[in-house]
Amino acid sequence: EVQLVESGGTSVQPGGSLRLSCAASEFTFSSYYMHWVRQVPGKGLVWVSRLNTDGSKTNYADSVMGRFTISRDNAKNTLYLQMNSLRAEDTAVYYCARGHRDGYCVDYWGQGTLVTVSS
Amino acid sequence: QSALTQPASVSGSPGQSITISCTGTSSDVGAYNYVSWYQQHPGKVPKLMIYDVSNRPSGVSNRFSGSKSGNTASLTISGLQAEDEADYYCSSYTSSGTYFFGTGTKLTVL
C-alpha cells in the first residue's frame, strides 16, 4: 500500500520559515508527480503546489507563489515544501499527495502535518 | 477565482440518488476533462472517487458516477448508503497549470 508520511509541522511566528518533508514508500516515487494540498481544520481543501518527476517543473497557487518552494530528492524518496515569509493565513494541515498516473488529480494522501503561524 | 463553487449541503434518504454540482469557468472545468471528486469523512484524509470527469479508480463503488456539461461538473451517488455521509470536494486542472478545489459539499444521509 502506498505510504506518504509528512513531518516538520510546528508552530512558527509570522515572517518565519519552515520546511516540510514527505517520506514516500511502497511505490516508485521517481515516476510520479507530487503535490502539496492544505486544509484549515474544519474548512475546505486548497491546492498548494505540484512538482514533476525529475523536479524540473513546478506549479504554485497564487497565494504561495514566491514564498513557498517545492522540491524532491528521488534518491531519498522524499518530497519537500520550503515555506518562507509565513503568514497567519498559512495555518493549516499540509498534506503530501501523489499525482495520479493516468489523470490530472491526486490519488493517495498522507495523514498531514499541522503548521500553525501565530505570534 | 480561487475555488470552484459547490452547494454547501445536500441530503437524501437511503436508497435514493443525489447529485452534487461543481461550477467553474472556461479556464478550468470547461477547459479540460480533468475534473476529479474526493470523499472526506470527519477526521480522515480525502479519498479519490472519480477522476477525469467520469472514471472510477479501482475499488470505488459503481454507485458513484461523474459527468460534465460546459463549465459545470456533477457527481451522482445512487442507492445512497449511510456510509456515504461525508464531505465531497471537486477539483479541476486549470489552463494555468494549477489546480482548484471546490468549496465542498456536506452530504447528509437522512
Side-chain angles (χ1 to χ4, degrees), chain B residues 24-73:
Chain B
T25 70
S26 57
S27 296
D28 38 69
V29 174
Y32 311 98
N33 287 326
Y34 296 146
V35 176
S36 52
W37 289 90
Y38 301 86
Q39 176 192 66
Q40 187 178 32
H41 287 108
K44 303 295 186 182
V45 300
K47 176 185 177 183
L48 178 65
M49 306 302 285
I50 295 287
Y51 69 96
D52 291 358
V53 175
S54 60
N55 294 317
R56 274 188 312 275
S58 174
V60 172
S61 170
N62 59 9
R63 297 186 298 106
F64 291 82
S65 62
S67 62
K68 192 188 86 166
S69 178
N71 297 337
T72 299

Side-chain angles (χ1 to χ4, degrees), chain A residues 6-70:
Chain A
E6 303 92 339
S7 60
T10 188
S11 294
V12 61
Q13 292 190 337
S17 297
L18 202 58
R19 189 176 84 157
L20 305 183
S21 299
C22 170
S25 60
E26 305 305 322
F27 68 100
T28 305
F29 178 71
S30 59
S31 296
Y32 289 82
Y33 281 47
M34 296 297 295
H35 299 244
W36 288 99
V37 178
R38 68 186 182 185
Q39 184 174 36
V40 175
K43 302 295 184 182
L45 300 169
V46 177
W47 179 82
V48 173
S49 183
R50 180 185 72 166
L51 183 62
N52 69 343
T53 55
D54 66 6
S56 63
K57 182 170 171 54
T58 59
N59 298 96
Y60 297 97
D62 288 346
S63 58
V64 307
M65 181 83 72
R67 300 188 299 122
F68 289 11
T69 302
I70 189 173

